[in-house]
């Protein structure tokens, strides 16, 4: 049986429901007033990415790294965060107790250091060994680059013994292209994911990791 030493976890809509707050900030900072929250969530989970859907409504800003950075800075500076998803604390505590490394990887266009107050408010700051955001890499980088950076820092650059936990189908596609194991987390907005393991409750995460381990040679 293999051992999964490094558990990389997505933040938004995987550990924390931040969708409504993100939507509110987007509306404030753009001309997206005509986009309903339901439409926003459909775009969010589109395999092409939310930017493609929003481009027809808010124009070129949808593809602008600096626009999204302004959105995330506004979100963070307002101090009104999302809500921790059920089972998140229990799952992280369990994994930590098993001696695994836990690192948060988020596609937010801000520096990872800025996440600390939010993670602290959720009560998970002391349960993770690190956290990085796309903003740590800067413009012209993607989620795959971020995952590779984390693997370099925490796992000697190897995908062996690592897994990424995420709610988004595009993340899972990236994992497959890298040979990185993935666990998909379903929610009310996404009902199907093509991950190596799929769960509908974060409390099932520790057992899903053990099941993956049992399949490794």
């Amino acid at each position: 049986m293999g051992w999964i030493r490094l558990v990389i976890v997505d933040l938004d809509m995987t550990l924390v429901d931040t969708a409504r707050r993100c939507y509110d900030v987007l509306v404030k900072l753009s001309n997206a007033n005509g986009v309903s929250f339901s439409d926003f969530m459909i775009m969010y989970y589109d395999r092409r990415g939310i930017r493609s859907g929003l481009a027809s409504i808010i124009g070129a800003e949808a593809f602008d790294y600096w626009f999204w950075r302004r959105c995330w800075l506004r979100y963070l500076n307002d101090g009104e965060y999302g809500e921790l998803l059920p089972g998140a604390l229990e799952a992280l505590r369990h994994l930590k107790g098993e001696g695994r490394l836990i690192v948060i990887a988020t596609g937010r266009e801000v520096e990872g250091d800025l996440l600390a107050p939010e993670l602290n408010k959720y009560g998970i700051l002391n349960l993770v060994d690190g956290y990085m955001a796309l903003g740590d890499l800067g413009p012209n980088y993607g989620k795959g680059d971020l995952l590779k950076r984390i693997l370099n820092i925490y796992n000697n650059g190897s995908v062996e013994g690592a897994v990424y936990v995420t709610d988004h189908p595009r993340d899972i596609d990236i994992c497959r292209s890298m040979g990185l194991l993935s666990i998909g987390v379903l929610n009310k907005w996404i009902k199907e994911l093509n991950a190596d393991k799929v769960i509908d409750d974060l409390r099932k995460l520790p057992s899903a990791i053990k099941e993956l381990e049992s399949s490794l040679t």
Side-chain angles (χ1 to χ4, degrees), residues 53-144:
L54 281 175
S56 62
I57 300 163
I58 69 173
E61 276 190 331
F63 297 103
D64 183 5
Y65 171 93
W66 301 106
F67 167 72
W68 290 102
R69 178 176 169 77
R70 288 195 300 274
C71 286
W72 282 116
L73 286 174
R74 176 68 176 268
Y75 165 90
L76 291 168
N77 291 336
D78 281 354
E80 298 174 21
Y81 307 128
E83 294 182 1
L84 204 62
L85 286 165
L89 276 175
E90 297 94 316
L92 294 179
R93 284 173 181 152
H94 192 113
L95 296 176
K96 192 74 173 171
E98 292 178 334
R100 305 183 197 270
L101 286 176
I102 304 170
V103 179
I104 290 176
T106 173
R108 297 184 186 184
E109 292 86 351
V110 292
E111 294 76 15
D113 288 348
L114 298 178
L115 303 177
E118 182 179 2
L119 299 180
N120 188 54
K121 178 147 186 201
Y122 298 142
I124 62 177
L125 182 61
N126 64 336
L127 295 176
V128 299
D129 297 281
Y131 40 92
M132 290 188 69
L134 205 56
D136 290 313
L137 278 63
N140 305 317
Y141 290 92
K143 200 66 167 288

Side-chain angles (χ1 to χ4, degrees), residues 131-205:
Y131 40 92
M132 290 188 69
L134 205 56
D136 290 313
L137 278 63
N140 305 317
Y141 290 92
K143 200 66 167 288
D145 300 303
L146 180 63
L147 291 173
K148 288 175 184 176
R149 176 72 65 86
I150 289 171
L151 290 169
N152 284 335
I153 294 172
Y154 294 95
N155 208 44
N156 296 317
S158 175
V159 297
E160 300 297 324
V163 65
Y164 188 40
V165 184
T166 179
D167 66 294
H168 207 287
R170 291 188 76 197
D171 289 348
I172 291 167
D173 290 343
I174 291 168
C175 288
R176 289 198 179 281
S177 72
M178 297 171 57
L180 176 64
L181 290 172
S182 62
I183 295 176
V185 183
L186 303 176
N187 58 48
K188 65 180 290 187
W189 302 102
I190 184 77
K191 299 299 184 183
E192 185 177 350
L193 289 167
N194 186 31
D196 295 292
K197 294 292 295 184
V198 178
I199 58 176
D200 57 7
D201 188 317
L202 285 170
R203 283 172 281 253
K204 299 177 182 178
L205 180 56

